Amino acid sequence: MGKSTKKPALGKGLDSILRPLNSGTQNPKDFSPSVVGRVLHLSPHKIKVNSKQPRLDFDTTSLEELAQSIKLHGVIQPITVRKCPKTPHYELISGERRLRAAKIVGLKNIPSYVRMAHDEEMLQFALIENIHRANLNPIEVGLTFSRLTEELNLTHSQLSQMIAKQRSTITNYIRLLKLPDVIQSALGQQKISFGHGRALVSIENKHEQLSVFKKIISGGLSVRVTERLIKKLKSSPSQKPVTSDPLIPSTTKTLNQFLNTKIDFKLTKKGSGFIKIPFRSKKDLLSILQKITGEK
């Protein structure tokens, strides 16, 4: 048989994360180098939970099933930890479900792969393992993507390359965090799907988002039906710009004179709308901004 060309299950970003480091918050001198890269059998009580773990909820039934499997067969795949400097403890990098299940059955020792990792790697590693192995709910994914882009100062495109996910997918998950809390809660509890959330976030008005959300819950609407409902809602007369509102001419005239440019002002019956302010050059833009902000 020829040499296998199958790619690693966790994507191309994992190799760089597992590679030994020469920099970071953890110094190799803090403990014996012989420990790094080895699988040790550690007491679960000597392992601190990873503070950067993106998973928020652990299903009790799933944990019990894993605990029973560990009781019968042991821990098949070692967890991954890093040594805490100058203490007898270790910090979990990945494998929190296995660690929790091991504690449930009272396991005295758990196989643990020891490696060095600084804080940024801890977050990357936990994210990649959970997304590819334990399936975070949509809000947990969105929160973790958001943390990665903010804490590591990454663009969506850079994060896309790191975790082998499409940029649009990352953007759509982060957009879910703009939804009202009740909808985010339903996504977290998986009462509605990521597809439902992606459709709902396309609605600009929060009250209409909640209205459609209630119809999804009460009617058990599928994603496709929800998308058709939203499309119909957007094409309804109440969503189209209204040009006969008396507020528009007077406001438009005032803004035109104040900004010395011809603006585009649209208003719907429900009070939402937009204002477009054109400019002819960078100098023109700066002049408009100075007038809006009052800064010289």
Side-chain angles (χ1 to χ4, degrees):
M1 294 179 64
K3 188 176 181 181
S4 173
T5 58
K6 185 177 181 181
K7 294 182 179 179
L10 296 189
K12 59 186 178 182
L14 189 59
D15 288 339
S16 62
I17 291 175
L18 287 174
R19 188 179 302 125
L21 298 177
N22 294 320
S23 62
T25 58
Q26 193 172 7
N27 191 324
K29 296 181 180 179
D30 289 331
F31 55 93
S32 172
S34 62
V35 172
V36 178
R38 292 177 54 193
V39 175
L40 305 181
H41 287 77
L42 304 174
S43 166
H45 300 291
K46 285 189 176 182
I47 302 171
K48 298 193 302 181
V49 174
N50 178 0
S51 61
K52 293 186 177 293
Q53 161 67 264
R55 176 170 287 281
L56 304 177
D57 300 307
F58 290 85
D59 181 71
T60 303
T61 302
S62 176
L63 272 179
E64 288 291 345
E65 291 174 352
L66 179 57
Q68 290 306 311
S69 174
I70 288 176
K71 187 175 182 179
L72 292 173
H73 308 292
V75 178
I76 306 295
Q77 182 178 356
I79 62 174
T80 305
V81 299
R82 70 172 178 173
K83 185 71 172 63
C84 296
K86 301 177 183 179
T87 75
H89 294 90
Y90 293 77
E91 185 174 17
L92 185 71
I93 294 178
S94 67
E96 186 166 352
R97 291 181 71 254
R98 278 164 281 162
L99 179 61
R100 286 179 177 238
K103 289 180 178 180
I104 289 175
V105 298
L107 211 63
K108 292 184 179 180
N109 295 293
I110 183 169
S112 310
Y113 175 73
V114 184
R115 65 181 304 278
M116 287 188 293
H118 56 63
D119 289 341
E120 290 184 358
E121 282 188 312
M122 294 279 284
L123 183 57
Q124 292 178 36
F125 198 98
L127 166 70
I128 290 175
E129 187 202 55
N130 277 311
I131 284 180
H132 288 278
R133 295 181 183 177
N135 293 328
L136 300 175
N137 69 56
I139 293 302
E140 288 172 328
V141 174
L143 285 169
T144 308
F145 284 164
S146 179
R147 283 184 61 189
L148 272 170
T149 56
E150 292 175 4
E151 294 184 25
L152 306 187
N153 194 28
L154 298 173
T155 65
H156 291 188
S157 295
Q158 290 170 331
L159 181 56
S160 168
Q161 295 176 0
M162 176 187 294
I163 63 174
K165 293 279 187 183
Q166 291 187 358
R167 183 192 57 78
S168 59
T169 299
I170 292 170
T171 300
N172 285 330
Y173 272 108
I174 293 178
R175 289 182 69 207
L176 297 179
L177 304 180
K178 297 180 180 180
L179 290 167
D181 291 345
V182 64
I183 300 180
Q184 289 193 41
S185 177
L187 281 163
Q189 298 172 30
Q190 299 184 10
K191 292 180 179 179
I192 61 174
S193 70
F194 166 71
H196 287 111
R198 184 177 58 183
L200 287 168
V201 83
S202 70
I203 305 174
E204 295 183 5
N205 188 287
K206 299 297 182 183
H207 295 293
E208 289 173 353
Q209 283 180 343
L210 291 170
S211 176
V212 174
F213 167 69
K214 291 176 182 178
K215 291 178 181 178
I216 294 172
I217 296 297
S218 62
L221 304 185
S222 67
V223 173
R224 183 169 295 183
V225 171
T226 300
E227 289 173 341
R228 287 202 298 263
L229 176 62
I230 293 173
K231 185 177 181 180
K232 184 178 179 181
L233 177 67
K234 288 182 176 180
S235 63
S236 65
S238 63
Q239 295 298 308
K240 294 180 179 179
V242 178
T243 58
S244 60
D245 192 296
L247 176 65
I248 292 179
S250 59
T251 303
T252 301
K253 182 179 179 181
T254 301
L255 288 174
N256 283 345
Q257 292 175 345
F258 178 68
L259 300 176
N260 192 28
T261 188
K262 190 175 181 180
I263 70 164
D264 185 10
F265 184 8
K266 300 295 182 183
L267 185 69
T268 68
K269 288 182 178 179
K270 292 194 173 183
S272 62
F274 62 84
I275 297 175
K276 289 184 178 179
I277 307 175
F279 54 90
R280 296 175 292 276
S281 64
K282 186 176 180 180
K283 182 179 179 180
D284 193 23
L285 171 61
L286 292 175
S287 175
I288 291 172
L289 291 175
Q290 288 176 352
K291 290 176 181 178
I292 293 175
T293 62
E295 296 180 357
K296 300 295 185 182

